[in-house]
Amino acid sequence: KVRSHNGYDIGMPIGYPIVSVASGTVAVIKRGSESAGNYIVVNHEGPIVGELDHTAYMHLSEILVKKGLNVNKLHLAKES
């Protein structure tokens, strides 16, 4: 079952560097999710768009960060 969301899906070539859209803290790291593959969630200190206070980066071929890491447009992972 596909679930709708209010986010933006931005496709990138395999191996393309992914960066955080705003500074924050890596809150979730998940590997092998059936629907999202490898993904991370970054919590931001305040809303970055409307009420949005986090961003998710899904379908990553490699995760290069650890939970709890503070990021500021840091290279996060490579798209799968």
Side-chain angles (χ1 to χ4, degrees):
K1 182 178 177 182
V2 176
R3 205 171 73 188
S4 176
H5 61 78
N6 293 328
Y8 294 97
D9 293 325
I10 302 170
M12 295 294 186
I14 293 172
Y16 196 87
I18 305 301
V19 296
S20 179
V21 299
S23 57
T25 303
V26 177
V28 175
I29 293 179
K30 178 79 174 174
R31 289 179 170 84
S33 163
E34 188 173 311
S35 61
N38 297 327
Y39 71 90
I40 66 171
V41 175
V42 176
N43 286 342
H44 305 288
E45 294 177 7
I48 55 172
V49 175
E51 296 180 13
L52 178 68
D53 64 354
H54 66 278
T55 50
Y57 303 86
M58 299 182 170
H59 307 290
L60 304 171
S61 62
E62 187 176 5
I63 295 176
L64 302 176
V65 295
K66 303 253 186 240
K67 186 174 179 180
L69 180 69
N70 292 322
V71 296
N72 183 16
K73 295 191 177 187
L74 178 73
H75 180 254
L76 296 176
K78 293 184 178 177
E79 189 81 9
S80 68

